[in-house]
């Protein structure tokens, strides 16, 4: 069975107030062309179709038109879409019955029937041009670890996720008497995966052990982490296709979709098809430099260069008060879009060298000490005593109000 694996489209994403439909539509056209060339048996989209749970009408129209074009590119191909943590599963499923006429299966949430969880609704049977079954897809949308349903009364809450995945895979095994390939879809972060450049402020990052996803699949089509990668220590069976279009400037790596050819019991044959972004995200210069130098480089960019740009600036002595205005003026008449200035202070503690605080330490040290550490890391210098005194007094007042104006408030609590 041949699959095209993609995820994390984030349609409708706005970058520093710039509409990104141009590059998102370019990706979708390229995806349709890849489908036309590769002729896969199934395309799986492992979550985060949209960037916002309430997508705009233009983003929804973009998705609809793209899916119809992808279907026309290979009418025999099945398509399976699951909801990610950025999606509203209910909104994604509004046209689910209609989409099934085009071979598109949408799984937005956990299905239930009169007897409890309807596991069969999460199992998609993949058929070829002669309507012969060629494999199975276990389609599981994003679910927070504490929200997995109760399948039996004997399973403690912390084991419900593992049981849910395994029950679905067991149900497939009962059907799959011919040993056909099985694809498991999941939108989550697997422990040990590389999250470089990933910034997810919606839902945070809960890590799942690979063992909690069960056994009995030939390929694990993952979504959520934006860096394309095959997860180590999984025998090449688990992969993130990554985001096809970068969502942030820190996603400074190649973006692609994954083609996987599966034969039951064998290691998947994996290759990637690179996606070409007409509006790349670039940082100038590569290494931080004084503002005047970076401004000169910004002004020197070719007029017809299409890109989003952030400036990488050293600012030990501060920036000009009109620095942002100067940057916007430097790109007037150019195709590029200035986004923001990344400020680097000379003595600022780097992410690699920053002091890490455990949960236990966080509970034991005082709010003032946390503030001092944060100030030193962000500003590159010690907090002055006047500011520290003001903050300490604010903490005391807060504790007095929340503890009935106690006279002996201990700010170390």
């Amino acid at each position: 069975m041949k699959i095209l694996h993609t995820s994390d489209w984030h349609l409708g994403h706005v970058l520093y107030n710039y509409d990104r439909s141009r590059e998102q539509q370019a990706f979708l056209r390229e995806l349709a062309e890849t489908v036309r060339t590769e002729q896969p048996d199934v395309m799986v989209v492992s979550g985060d179709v949209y960037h916002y749970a309430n997508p705009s009408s233009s983003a929804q129209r973009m998705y609809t038109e793209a899916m119809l074009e992808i279907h026309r590119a290979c009418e025999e191909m099945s398509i399976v879409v699951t909801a990610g943590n950025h999606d509203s599963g209910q909104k994604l499923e509004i046209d689910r019955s209609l989409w099934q006429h085009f071979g598109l299966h949408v799984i937005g949430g956990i299905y239930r029937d009169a007897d409890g969880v309807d596991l069969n609704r999460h199992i998609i049977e993949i058929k070829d041009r002669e309507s012969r079954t060629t494999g199975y897809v276990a389609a599981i949308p994003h679910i927070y670890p504490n929200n997995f349903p109760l399948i039996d009364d004997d399973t403690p809450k912390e084991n419900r996720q593992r049981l849910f995945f395994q029950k679905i895979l067991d149900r497939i095994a009962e059907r799959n008497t011919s040993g056909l390939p099985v694809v498991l879809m999941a939108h989550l972060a697997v422990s040990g995966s590389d999250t470089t450049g990933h910034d997810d402020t919606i839902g945070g990052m809960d890590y799942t052990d690979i063992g909690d996803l069960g056994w009995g699949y030939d390929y694990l089509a993952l979504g959520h982490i934006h860096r394309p990668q095959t997860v180590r220590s999984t025998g090449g069976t688990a992969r993130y296709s990554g985001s096809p279009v970068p969502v942030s400037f820190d996603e400074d790596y190649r973006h692609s979709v994954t083609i996987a050819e599966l034969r039951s019991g064998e290691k998947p044959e994996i290759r990637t098809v690179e996606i070409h972004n007409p509006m790349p995200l670039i940082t100038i210069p590569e290494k931080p430099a004084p503002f005047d130098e970076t401004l000169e480089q910004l002004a020197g960019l070719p007029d017809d260069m299409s890109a989003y740009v952030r400036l990488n600036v050293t600012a030990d002595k501060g920036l000009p008060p009109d620095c942002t205005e100067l940057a916007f003026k430097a790109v007037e008449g150019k195709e590029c879009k200035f986004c923001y200035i990344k400020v680097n202070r000379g003595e600022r503690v780097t992410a690699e060298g920053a002091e890490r605080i455990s949960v236990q330490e966080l509970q034991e040290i005082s709010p003032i000490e946390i503030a001092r550490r944060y100030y030193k890391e962000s500003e590159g210098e010690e907090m002055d005593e006047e500011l520290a005194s003001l903050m300490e007094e604010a903490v005391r007042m807060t504790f007095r109000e929340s503890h009935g104006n106690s006279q002996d408030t201990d700010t170390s609590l």
Side-chain angles (χ1 to χ4, degrees):
M1 183 168 69
K2 184 178 185 180
I3 73 169
L4 190 158
H5 171 202
T6 179
S7 70
D8 297 275
W9 294 358
H10 291 274
L11 300 182
H13 177 236
V14 175
L15 183 72
Y16 295 92
N17 295 321
Y18 294 117
D19 174 68
R20 305 194 70 193
S21 57
R22 174 188 172 191
E23 64 254 49
Q24 290 166 351
Q25 288 172 342
F27 152 65
L28 293 169
R29 287 193 297 270
E30 200 166 347
L31 178 62
E33 192 56 40
T34 300
V35 167
R36 187 172 287 108
T37 301
E38 296 288 345
Q39 295 290 296
D41 296 296
V42 58
M43 181 178 84
V44 296
V45 186
S46 299
D48 282 359
V49 172
Y50 296 110
H51 189 71
Y52 305 106
N54 188 23
S56 65
S57 58
S58 60
Q60 293 178 73
R61 191 180 308 112
M62 189 193 316
Y63 168 76
T64 300
E65 292 175 353
M67 283 305 197
L68 290 173
E69 181 60 31
I70 288 167
H71 169 71
R72 286 191 286 266
C74 183
E75 294 186 359
E76 297 81 12
M77 177 186 72
S78 298
I79 303 173
V80 184
V81 178
T82 56
N85 60 304
H86 280 250
D87 297 311
S88 163
Q90 291 181 335
K91 289 184 181 295
L92 202 61
E93 283 195 352
I94 287 176
D95 299 322
R96 181 177 60 84
S97 297
L98 180 61
W99 277 123
Q100 287 181 344
H101 292 284
F102 299 91
L104 197 161
H105 308 269
V106 183
I107 309 296
I110 300 298
Y111 291 112
R112 292 173 170 82
D113 55 22
D115 299 322
V117 180
D118 185 1
L119 298 177
N120 291 322
R121 292 282 292 275
H122 295 271
I123 300 172
I124 314 298
E125 198 168 323
I126 307 303
K127 297 182 180 293
D128 63 12
R129 290 171 174 79
E130 285 73 41
S131 296
R132 296 173 300 191
T133 301
T134 58
Y136 297 87
V137 173
I140 302 178
H142 176 266
I143 309 167
Y144 289 106
N146 292 330
N147 292 345
F148 277 87
L150 179 67
I151 294 180
D152 62 50
D153 296 332
D154 299 326
T155 304
K157 190 171 185 177
E158 61 270 17
N159 292 336
R160 290 181 189 175
Q161 180 180 25
R162 179 194 294 264
L163 181 64
F164 184 82
F165 276 87
Q166 193 58 60
K167 283 287 188 181
I168 291 178
L169 291 169
D170 288 345
R171 188 69 59 88
I172 292 177
E174 293 171 4
R175 294 191 200 177
N176 190 17
T177 55
S178 300
L180 300 172
V182 176
V183 175
L184 174 62
M185 297 173 66
H187 188 90
L188 45 74
V190 171
S191 299
S193 48
D194 185 353
T195 61
T196 301
H198 185 92
D199 178 20
D200 190 354
T201 55
I202 299 183
M205 190 78 83
D206 294 304
Y207 288 92
T208 300
D209 186 84
I210 192 71
D212 289 339
L213 305 185
W215 59 273
Y217 56 83
D218 297 282
Y219 182 80
L220 174 55
L222 292 165
H224 191 37
I225 292 178
H226 292 180
R227 188 182 184 93
Q229 62 191 281
T230 300
V231 181
R232 292 174 292 181
S233 72
T234 63
T237 59
R239 181 168 176 81
Y240 287 98
S241 62
S243 55
V245 177
V247 176
S248 75
F249 282 91
D250 292 324
E251 294 182 30
D252 56 349
Y253 35 74
R254 292 182 176 179
H255 295 257
S256 59
V257 297
T258 296
I259 305 294
E261 299 196 42
L262 311 180
R263 296 172 183 83
S264 185
E266 298 183 15
K267 182 178 178 180
E269 295 179 10
I270 295 173
R271 54 190 170 86
T272 60
V273 177
E274 187 172 351
I275 301 300
H276 304 93
N277 186 1
M279 284 288 290
L281 280 63
I282 64 172
T283 301
I284 58 172
E286 183 177 341
K287 294 182 178 180
F291 176 73
D292 290 345
E293 292 182 22
T294 61
L295 189 65
E296 185 177 344
Q297 290 188 41
L298 180 64
L301 292 177
D303 291 348
D304 61 351
M305 180 180 179
S306 296
Y308 299 107
V309 183
R310 73 172 174 183
L311 298 185
N312 198 13
V313 174
T314 56
D316 298 338
K317 298 180 180 179
L319 293 173
D322 58 345
C323 57
T324 300
E325 182 181 352
L326 292 171
F328 276 113
K329 285 184 178 179
V331 298
E332 285 182 355
K334 296 180 182 291
E335 287 292 319
C336 66
K337 310 292 186 183
F338 166 72
C339 292
Y340 79 104
I341 299 172
K342 179 183 179 182
V343 178
N344 301 269
R345 302 187 186 279
E347 298 181 4
R348 181 174 177 173
V349 180
T350 64
E352 293 76 16
E355 182 181 359
R356 297 184 181 275
I357 304 175
S358 68
V359 174
Q360 182 177 355
E361 289 174 320
L362 192 61
Q363 294 172 338
E364 293 175 352
I365 63 179
S366 70
I368 297 302
E369 178 60 24
I370 295 173
R372 286 181 181 274
R373 295 188 188 189
Y374 174 78
Y375 188 91
K376 183 175 181 180
E377 181 177 337
S378 61
E379 300 299 325
E381 59 186 25
E382 298 289 348
M383 180 186 293
D384 66 70
E385 290 307 315
E386 182 179 359
L387 178 57
S389 297
L390 289 171
M391 294 191 69
E392 191 166 357
E393 180 59 28
V395 171
R396 287 197 187 97
M397 292 176 64
T398 301
F399 270 86
R400 288 189 187 118
E401 291 176 1
S402 61
H403 290 77
N405 292 320
S406 170
Q407 297 301 311
D408 298 314
T409 302
D410 182 359
T411 57
S412 67
L413 293 176

